[in-house]
Amino acid sequence: MVSVNVPRLVIAAPASGSGKTTVATGLMRAFADAGLAVSPHKVGPDYIDPGYHALATGRPGRNLDAYMCGPERIAPLFLHGAAGCDLALVEGVMGLYDGASGQGELASTAHVAKLLKAPVVLVVDASSQSRSVAALVHGFASWDPEVRVAGVILNKVGSDRHEAVLREALAESGVPVLGALRRVAGLNTPSRHLGLIPVAERRTEAVAAVAAQAAQVREGCDLEALLALARSAPALPEEAWSPAAGRPGPVAQFPAPLTGRAPGVVGRRSAGLGAPPAVAGGGWAQPDHGEQPSAPRPVIAIAGGAAFTFSYAEHAELLTAAGADVVRFDPLRDESLPPGTDGLVIGGGFPEVHVADLSANAPLRKEVAALAATGAPVVAECAGLLYLCRTLDGKEMCGVLPADARMSERLTLGYREAVALADNSLAAAGTRVRGHEFHRTVVEPAASADTPAWGITHPARRLEGFVHGGVHASYLHTHWAGAPAMAHRLVAQAAARA
């Protein structure tokens, strides 16, 4: 095994709301503007921050989630994303030591920093404190001796005098101040019911905001000292993750994909897969071609655009490596699926914000319903689930599922453990996965009475989602790097139609 040396920093904070996304994104853009190839990463399952990271760096934002992917995959996934880069910046999640509820450090920023052997820079909201900042930083720096809190960036500083008091106090802590940023009105990214508004919905404003964040960071941070700190990180004795080598890990073990055809179910080009047996309990992107096998490559269409912005970069990479041509389409703009679509992936996003426009695109809704009716593999997560319902907030959707969706005041949020209760397009019966839920909507009924998509086993037992012909739809977000056989299974079933 060859050790790999990637200069890297983890940008963390004592708590949410400290400004770490603003600072991390500004740092990414500032270093990129200086001519460095910057690899952006985000701890945890969040989809929105990586969109801003991608805008800042020109590279895909990638998640490092030790709960969904397993701690053993964090360094390999990091090295995969950071290949060929001069610097990697990892934005943390919540407070430095906050992780999966009730499971110690698992999936916390501190946990990921230790797995990456990366120095941590703590972003501290100094707006309502002076000398107390030293006690705060000392506590975070000394809590876990395996976590190297190697610098502080003071955020929301009120004045030169305020900054001087803060620096004087921190001089006794032994943790150097690497930046001090003034309070600037309007610099932060606007939020709504599920956090920040995605880049895809405000691209012009987002471009200007990221540039402003970079300008503030250049003025207030010691970029040379930060880069020197990043270069002090030791080499990682790991091999980079590869989508072509997709290894099922300890979180989820999968049987071989289904390959049979169901009589009487006719696809567009050949017979498709029938319903799995129940078990108790703005234009198309061009396909990304890998090596060409002798058999036809199935076309997997992935929904995108402003309504469906939630997708992990590794999913498309895994599908391509498994033998598919991956093509993206926008349900807000495109009136038909990409030519030759054999399978469909509709991930998360905000269909509730764009419900009128989605409903108005009747030609595409009808085409999605027609594809699902052939038994083609259709995988829908959260927003995709809503889009496949009969209605969303009273507006007509695709009508693939016998359910209706609506907005709710209640936030559903957290990690989940689940088991597949029936063979389906994504997993074989008995497959165990870890995932994440994050929504303010309700689907009625919440699950199919005959073939639910998942049985949630933690934190509370319940049925979730729908298996309906070739459709697998649920609220559960999964990361296929932690269960790569799901991508292979999806491609195998789509290939049966190609």
Side-chain angles (χ1 to χ4, degrees):
M1 182 178 297
V2 178
S3 294
V4 183
N5 198 346
V6 178
R8 57 197 180 275
L9 294 174
V10 171
I11 310 301
S16 296
S18 300
K20 63 180 177 292
T21 299
T22 298
V23 173
T25 305
L27 284 170
M28 290 172 186
R29 176 63 179 271
F31 281 117
D33 286 347
L36 275 64
V38 180
S39 179
H41 303 263
K42 170 69 179 180
V43 177
D46 177 69
Y47 293 96
I48 299 174
D49 292 350
Y52 285 89
H53 298 170
L55 186 63
T57 64
R59 296 177 64 89
R62 294 179 183 271
N63 295 70
L64 299 171
D65 194 303
Y67 185 90
M68 291 199 291
C69 296
E72 73 283 358
R73 289 189 182 87
I74 295 304
L77 283 167
F78 168 81
L79 292 173
H80 169 69
C85 286
D86 304 306
L87 173 66
L89 294 176
V90 181
E91 183 193 339
V93 60
M94 299 186 293
L96 175 58
Y97 295 105
D98 300 326
S101 180
Q103 301 197 48
E105 71 173 5
L106 177 62
S108 68
T109 302
H111 186 204
V112 170
K114 290 197 287 187
L115 292 169
L116 296 180
K117 305 183 188 306
V120 174
V121 175
L122 200 65
V123 177
V124 176
D125 179 353
S127 60
S128 299
Q129 58 185 317
S130 57
R131 291 190 70 246
S132 295
V133 72
L136 174 69
V137 171
H138 173 74
F140 273 84
S142 61
W143 178 261
D144 185 342
E146 294 183 35
V147 177
R148 181 187 171 199
V149 178
V152 175
I153 293 177
L154 300 168
N155 195 29
K156 304 179 186 178
V157 177
S159 65
D160 290 347
R161 175 59 183 159
H162 187 203
E163 179 180 340
V165 171
L166 294 166
R167 286 183 178 274
E168 181 182 2
L170 283 165
E172 303 176 25
S173 73
V175 181
V177 176
L178 301 178
L181 307 176
R182 293 290 189 268
R183 302 171 192 168
V184 178
L187 192 63
N188 294 336
T189 301
S191 300
R192 61 183 180 210
H193 60 289
L194 288 181
L196 303 182
I197 298 176
V199 167
E201 296 185 41
R202 56 183 300 268
R203 188 169 186 86
T204 300
E205 298 91 337
V207 168
V210 169
Q213 291 163 4
Q216 187 194 36
V217 162
R218 275 192 295 268
E219 181 180 351
C221 293
D222 188 340
L223 295 184
E224 289 187 5
L226 286 161
L227 184 57
L229 178 59
R231 288 171 173 166
S232 73
L236 288 170
E238 302 277 356
E239 294 181 1
W241 177 84
S242 169
R247 302 167 295 174
V251 172
Q253 297 289 343
F254 298 86
L258 291 176
T259 56
R261 299 172 184 263
V265 180
V266 180
R268 294 167 301 100
R269 287 184 283 176
S270 63
L273 292 171
V279 176
W284 303 309
Q286 292 302 308
D288 182 7
H289 293 274
E291 293 183 6
Q292 295 296 312
S294 56
R297 294 176 65 89
V299 174
I300 303 289
I302 298 182
F308 298 98
T309 54
F310 294 6
S311 179
Y312 296 126
E314 292 80 6
H315 286 199
E317 293 171 347
L318 282 162
L319 291 170
T320 299
D325 283 341
V326 175
V327 186
R328 298 184 186 275
F329 71 103
D330 185 349
L332 289 174
R333 297 177 180 272
D334 298 324
E335 294 189 347
S336 61
L337 291 170
T341 295
D342 299 297
L344 185 58
V345 176
I346 314 173
F350 293 99
E352 63 272 25
V353 175
H354 304 279
V355 62
D357 290 334
L358 289 171
S359 184
N361 191 352
L364 181 66
R365 290 192 290 103
K366 292 176 181 177
E367 198 162 310
V368 169
L371 178 70
T374 70
V378 178
V379 175
E381 290 185 346
C382 201
L385 165 68
L386 307 182
Y387 186 56
L388 295 185
C389 286
R390 289 179 299 226
T391 62
L392 170 57
D393 284 340
K395 297 288 188 180
E396 190 174 2
M397 293 288 105
C398 294
V400 172
L401 301 175
D404 298 281
R406 58 177 174 81
M407 286 290 293
S408 169
E409 293 297 321
R410 180 172 177 266
L411 174 63
T412 300
L413 170 68
Y415 285 122
R416 306 286 187 258
E417 294 181 13
V419 60
L421 300 180
D423 286 348
N424 58 69
S425 298
L426 198 59
T431 297
R432 295 186 176 275
V433 300
R434 284 181 165 182
H436 185 263
E437 280 191 85
F438 187 37
H439 58 90
R440 285 188 186 271
T441 57
V442 173
V443 170
E444 296 170 334
S448 168
D450 299 322
T451 50
W454 303 108
I456 304 297
T457 59
H458 179 81
R461 299 181 69 87
R462 59 182 171 85
L463 300 178
E464 164 59 34
F466 302 79
V467 170
H468 187 75
V471 175
H472 182 283
S474 82
Y475 272 121
L476 192 68
H477 292 289
T478 56
H479 197 308
W480 297 351
M486 293 203 292
H488 286 269
R489 186 181 185 89
L490 174 59
V491 172
Q493 297 203 40
R497 299 171 44 82

